[in-house]
Amino acid sequence: MAKANAGFFDPEFTKVPDFTQIYAEFSKSFVEYGKLFGNGKLPGFDVDKLIAAQRKNIEALTAANQVAFEGVQTIAKRQVEFARKAAEEMSQAAKDLTSTGTPEDKLARQVALAKEAFETAVANLRELTGIAQKANSQAVDLISKRVVENFDEVTSALAPKTAAKK
């Protein structure tokens, strides 16, 4: 017979679980799992290869992080150079605009300076984007290469040691 829905408050919720049964089931599972390691090693499983693979994974992640960090450093250096150059150009533009000339000439010069500033900003943005894309691409290449190698290493670690038995 189906249990009636108790609504908002389910009295089954308040019952304390039987931890002795849970512990007994856990112990039984743990004993079965422990049988796999009768001699301290999992049969057909080369732990040393897996440890070496993990070491290579960490090395690949470190290399990818280094490439990404170098990309960030390059971007930061270029941004500082762009800011320095922009400050110099603004100083020169201010001098040019305060010099003598007709209002029409000054307006034309302001428009030309604004156009140059915009084109420079777009070129700088493209350069920074290119640097970031290159660094990201190199980092992803390192990681993806390692992932492919990792699959091969895990497969060989899980393979039966038939060659060693011959």
Side-chain angles (χ1 to χ4, degrees):
M1 188 167 155
K3 182 178 169 184
N5 188 355
F8 179 73
F9 183 72
D10 184 6
E12 294 291 318
F13 175 75
T14 60
K15 289 187 178 179
V16 177
D18 184 5
F19 287 109
T20 56
Q21 184 180 0
I22 293 171
Y23 180 73
E25 289 174 10
F26 175 76
S27 295
K28 180 181 172 186
S29 299
F30 192 73
V31 167
E32 291 297 318
Y33 182 73
K35 288 179 184 176
L36 293 173
F37 294 98
N39 62 354
K41 290 194 173 194
L42 185 62
F45 194 75
D46 191 345
V47 176
D48 293 332
K49 283 186 180 179
L50 287 179
I51 291 171
Q54 288 302 322
R55 187 174 298 120
K56 290 178 184 177
N57 290 345
I58 292 169
E59 290 169 359
L61 286 174
T62 302
N65 283 337
Q66 182 64 32
V67 167
F69 181 71
E70 289 170 0
V72 169
Q73 281 184 322
T74 302
I75 289 171
K77 287 177 185 176
R78 289 300 291 150
Q79 285 177 327
V80 168
E81 291 171 13
F82 295 155
R84 181 190 47 76
K85 186 176 179 185
E88 291 172 358
E89 289 173 354
M90 288 292 280
S91 175
Q92 184 60 42
K95 289 177 186 176
D96 290 346
L97 292 174
T98 56
S99 65
T100 58
T102 65
E104 293 82 14
D105 290 339
K106 289 182 180 184
L107 183 59
R109 183 69 183 136
Q110 280 182 327
V111 170
L113 289 172
K115 180 182 176 186
E116 288 175 29
F118 178 75
E119 290 171 347
T120 300
V122 169
N124 292 346
L125 183 59
R126 284 191 176 130
E127 181 181 342
L128 295 176
T129 302
I131 292 168
Q133 285 176 338
K134 181 179 176 187
N136 287 341
S137 177
Q138 289 173 345
V140 167
D141 288 346
L142 287 168
I143 291 172
S144 65
K145 179 182 175 195
R146 181 62 205 134
V147 168
V148 170
E149 291 171 356
N150 204 3
F151 283 125
D152 295 337
E153 290 168 359
V154 168
T155 301
S156 72
L158 294 173
K161 297 181 183 178
T162 56
K165 291 180 182 178
K166 290 183 181 180

